[in-house]
Amino acid sequence: MRCPFCGNVDTQVKDSRPAEDHVAIRRRRFCPACGGRFTTYERVQLRDLVVIKTSGKREDFDRDKLERSIRIAMQKRPVEPERIDQMISGIVRRLESMGETDIPSKTIGAIVMETLARIDTVAYVRFASVYKNFQAADDFDKFVSELRPPVAEAE
Ligand SMILES: [Zn+2]
């Protein structure tokens, strides 16, 4: 695995342990060239998903991209990072088990919003406002007024 700091490909695994309720293996890595430390996750990939954008353009599904957008929405929210990881894995599993390799970006957006709505209303509004690309403030106000209060998790 290439070091993200210096580009050296000869990095070492210092520690491996199950993560996200054994859905992933988390590895702590060390780069002998620059002393950098980083973490990688190994996961089962059931199928290669392709995202069909609204324009009709096809694009390989990028878990990191999904994760970035969710983390931006979750910024400074009182939700454990581990919980966010679980949520992202759950979304990906849902997509992978839909039985189709081609998934419209709209479907992914809807699943993310549905998941966020259950976990954190603020993150949901943030994500939805970007995702739905609300131009007019009126639309956004209407959207917010239609939000339901978050449902408590039964855990
Ligand atoms: Zn390095």
Side-chain angles (χ1 to χ4, degrees):
M1 183 68 67
R2 187 184 290 276
C3 170
F5 307 110
C6 74
N8 168 37
V9 291
D10 192 20
T11 56
Q12 298 166 2
V13 174
K14 287 300 189 195
D15 178 55
S16 295
R17 62 180 64 182
E20 300 162 30
D21 197 20
H22 293 256
V23 166
I25 303 285
R26 179 179 189 272
R27 299 194 204 281
R28 289 293 302 158
R29 292 177 186 263
F30 171 73
C31 173
C34 74
R37 287 169 194 279
F38 59 103
T39 304
T40 56
Y41 287 88
E42 179 183 315
R43 294 185 175 80
V44 174
Q45 179 145 351
L46 294 178
R47 55 174 83 230
D48 290 323
L49 298 176
V50 175
V51 181
I52 313 294
K53 310 191 92 172
T54 334
S55 62
K57 230 182 107 202
R58 299 163 62 86
E59 196 174 83
D60 286 342
F61 173 72
D62 182 351
R63 184 197 162 100
D64 291 341
K65 211 163 139 186
L66 174 73
E67 182 169 343
R68 269 198 305 280
S69 64
I70 290 174
R71 288 202 187 276
I72 290 168
M74 293 296 245
Q75 234 164 41
K76 301 205 171 101
R77 296 303 302 155
V79 179
E80 296 282 312
E82 180 78 356
R83 181 113 170 76
I84 299 176
D85 286 337
Q86 279 172 12
M87 178 178 108
I88 294 163
S89 292
I91 292 170
V92 174
R93 274 201 301 278
R94 259 183 84 178
L95 296 173
E96 285 174 336
S97 60
M98 284 175 74
E100 298 281 345
T101 11
D102 294 3
I103 301 180
S105 56
K106 247 198 267 178
T107 305
I108 299 175
I111 291 176
V112 171
M113 286 194 284
E114 189 190 307
T115 309
L116 283 176
R118 271 188 282 127
I119 289 175
D120 190 281
T121 310
V122 172
Y124 168 56
V125 175
R126 283 178 184 162
F127 183 88
S129 65
V130 175
Y131 175 76
K132 293 192 165 170
N133 197 13
F134 283 97
Q135 303 284 346
D138 288 350
D139 282 352
F140 187 69
D141 286 344
K142 183 171 178 290
F143 173 69
V144 172
S145 69
E146 281 168 5
L147 283 178
R148 285 172 296 139
V151 179
E153 281 277 310
E155 273 184 329

